[in-house]
Amino acid sequence: MSVALATPFAEDRSIDLPRLVAHARQSLADGCDGLTAFGTTGEGASLGANERQRALGALVGAGIDPRTQLVVGIAASSVEEAIAQGRAGLMLGCGSFLLAPPFYFKAPGDEGLFDWIAAVLAGLGPKANNVILYHIPQVTSVGLSMELIAALKKAFPAQVKGVKDSSGDWENAQALLKQHGDLHVLIGDERLLAQAMKLGASGAITGLANIAPDLMRPLLDGIEEPRVNAMVEAVLPYAVTAAVKALVGHRRGDAAAWSRMRAPLRSLDEAECRALFAAVDAIRSKRAA
């Protein structure tokens, strides 16, 4: 289980490196196996190459092993920027990447997506040896078809090693596991994780691990945890990334600092926070079924 690491910001909206490092360390101590930086929950599409480099340097400098504990999210529309984001990880010894499709261009088709992803993989080179294709069409408006995944894994077998399915579509997850079980299929929607693990999924990259990694561990053994599903349902009515960050601050006793978002995203207001915190605290206090 890799936590889709939330990114804290200082008052000037630069990355708050001490808080980022502290949260990363605590997430590992709380039961996460690794960290995925700059994903959707980490506001990766809002972060530039230079600040990514500084953040990764801080994590690695704090003892995070880039070879075994770190996945670097890539979110860009240009091939050049995607490669630059990947090289920020390669420079520090990280070979694992979560590669989102180019989200600015709608309905490019499989041929266009193949060419774009192929150019990124070629630019990153063989040291990027654990690339996870990122399927989250509700955010990118660009989905990864079964046929596209098949073509990419055939063309780049030494690089394409997995798919993260954050669509929340159980039929899509089943199809991935059936057709691409030779890849690591990782689940983003926590409500589907236990079912998917029973069918051969490899694990999860998950935003909820920022706040409840202890409750999520049984899911990896195929054991349902109703409190996890209830937490997801409590979060979904809000802007999800802002809600997760607010809950991190609530859990850490550091609400003001963790409430900050990078524009254009906004923070939850006080009333939203009160309602969300009350709901999640009530869910966590219940005993497992």
Side-chain angles (χ1 to χ4, degrees), residues 164-280:
K164 181 190 177 187
D165 184 2
S166 290
S167 66
D169 182 344
W170 176 236
E171 289 186 3
N172 192 78
Q174 286 179 299
L176 278 173
L177 290 163
K178 182 177 181 179
Q179 298 182 39
H180 300 300
D182 53 330
L183 298 176
H184 293 295
V185 176
L186 305 171
I187 303 300
D189 188 325
E190 297 86 354
R191 297 168 297 180
L192 306 182
L193 181 54
Q195 292 173 277
M197 293 300 293
K198 291 177 183 178
L199 295 182
S202 297
I205 298 175
T206 163
L208 200 64
N210 283 281
I211 54 176
D214 54 322
L215 298 186
M216 292 194 59
R217 295 302 307 185
L219 304 180
L220 300 175
D221 295 321
I223 300 170
E224 295 285 357
E225 169 49 90
R227 289 176 293 178
V228 169
N229 291 359
M231 281 189 183
V232 173
E233 297 295 336
V235 165
L236 285 177
Y238 303 93
V240 172
T241 297
V244 169
K245 289 182 71 173
L247 287 166
V248 172
H250 180 58
R251 185 175 185 227
R252 305 281 189 228
D254 194 17
W258 275 98
S259 69
R260 301 179 187 121
M261 304 292 291
R262 177 68 66 85
L265 301 183
R266 72 164 188 89
S267 308
L268 301 190
D269 62 33
E270 290 186 13
E272 289 173 322
C273 285
R274 285 196 299 270
L276 176 62
F277 297 165
V280 170

Side-chain angles (χ1 to χ4, degrees), residues 63-77:
I64 306 300
D65 188 339
R67 296 164 299 176
T68 62
Q69 294 181 306
L70 188 59
V71 176
V72 174
I74 297 175
S77 290

Side-chain angles (χ1 to χ4, degrees), residues 30-97:
D30 287 344
C32 295
D33 302 302
L35 314 168
T36 298
F38 318 137
T40 304
T41 310
E43 298 171 74
S46 299
L47 303 177
N50 290 337
E51 57 187 343
R52 284 163 167 262
Q53 188 72 60
R54 291 192 293 271
L56 292 174
L59 291 170
V60 174
I64 306 300
D65 188 339
R67 296 164 299 176
T68 62
Q69 294 181 306
L70 188 59
V71 176
V72 174
I74 297 175
S77 290
S78 77
V79 169
E80 181 180 6
E81 178 62 22
I83 293 170
Q85 291 180 10
R87 285 178 178 166
L90 290 173
M91 288 173 62
L92 293 170
C94 179
S96 297
F97 299 93

